Amino acid sequence: SDCLGSTHEGYSKSESTLSQTFFDLLEEAEGKQFFVTTISSNIARMHQIITAALKHNRKVVLAGRSIDQNVGVARGLGYLPFDADVFVKEDDAANHSQKDLVYIIAGCYGQQGSALDRLARGEHEQLDLEENAIVVFSADPNPPGVAEDVERLMNALVLRGAEVIYSKIQDNLHVSGHGAK
């Protein structure tokens, strides 16, 4: 099998086990700029993030080409049945109070040039990272060779004043889409 989980005993948890996590994190982040980075093809995760954002009266900014494209296709197919007014365009985000937005941002594996990488370096043309912003990594660095890039990215975010939340310090941020034995 080419399944990454095939060497692990047991069962993979359901994606639905993460829903409460996003509600709780947004509750704790009241009044703060809030970013979540995840795998750009994980539509179920994005559904959970958007649902939690709406419960906390926040609109959603899709930051990064892969996130924007995948959400566009998923909305077109009816997998993300949210009205257009739920979303704020990336180039319009600066015109909104940051405490009223949730960013779903590309770059969870530390990809150089991704939206999150550019944000961390202060080089994003449309987004600025506020002091005390929260950045949640809702993906584990599973692919071989990305751990160092993810660490570099997390360090850059912390040095810019962000609070970084990731799986080694917070449970229920990611479940694998790869089945275990």
Side-chain angles (χ1 to χ4, degrees):
S1 171
D2 65 353
C3 180
L4 291 177
S6 65
T7 59
H8 301 351
E9 294 295 331
Y11 298 89
S12 296
K13 288 201 261 181
S14 168
E15 186 73 26
S16 66
T17 62
L18 303 183
S19 292
Q20 189 61 44
T21 299
F22 297 110
F23 288 106
D24 294 345
L25 287 170
L26 277 165
E27 184 77 29
E28 295 169 18
E30 187 174 341
K32 294 183 180 181
Q33 192 179 37
F34 192 84
F35 295 85
V36 181
T37 185
T38 191
I39 301 161
S40 64
S41 61
N42 193 335
I43 303 307
R45 182 84 40 88
M46 289 186 224
H47 192 289
Q48 292 173 325
I49 296 163
I50 296 165
T51 301
L54 293 175
K55 182 172 183 351
H56 289 279
N57 298 313
R58 292 184 183 225
K59 292 190 180 277
V60 176
V61 178
L62 305 172
R65 185 177 59 246
S66 61
I67 296 281
D68 189 49
Q69 288 175 342
N70 283 316
V71 168
V73 169
R75 287 185 68 220
L77 293 171
Y79 293 118
L80 293 174
F82 300 102
D83 293 333
D85 66 350
V86 167
F87 301 95
V88 171
K89 295 215 177 281
E90 190 174 358
D91 61 1
D92 189 38
N95 297 324
H96 294 263
S97 174
Q98 296 301 292
K99 66 180 178 58
D100 296 331
L101 301 174
V102 168
Y103 292 85
I104 302 176
I105 189 164
C108 66
Y109 291 143
Q111 301 96 316
Q112 290 188 2
S114 68
L116 188 57
D117 177 61
R118 289 180 284 127
L119 181 72
R121 289 185 283 120
E123 296 176 2
H124 198 290
E125 292 178 4
Q126 295 150 332
L127 306 179
D128 289 313
L129 187 67
E130 291 184 351
E131 183 78 21
N132 297 317
I134 305 226
V135 181
V136 178
F137 278 74
S138 185
D140 283 332
N142 286 331
V146 302
E148 189 174 301
D149 291 335
V150 172
E151 285 289 328
R152 175 196 47 79
L153 181 56
M154 287 182 183
N155 289 341
L157 290 163
V158 168
L159 289 172
R160 298 228 28 244
E163 177 184 349
V164 176
I165 300 172
Y166 58 104
S167 61
K168 288 185 181 173
I169 63 168
Q170 165 86 37
D171 289 332
N172 295 324
L173 291 177
H174 180 70
V175 294
S176 178
H178 301 275
K181 279 186 185 176

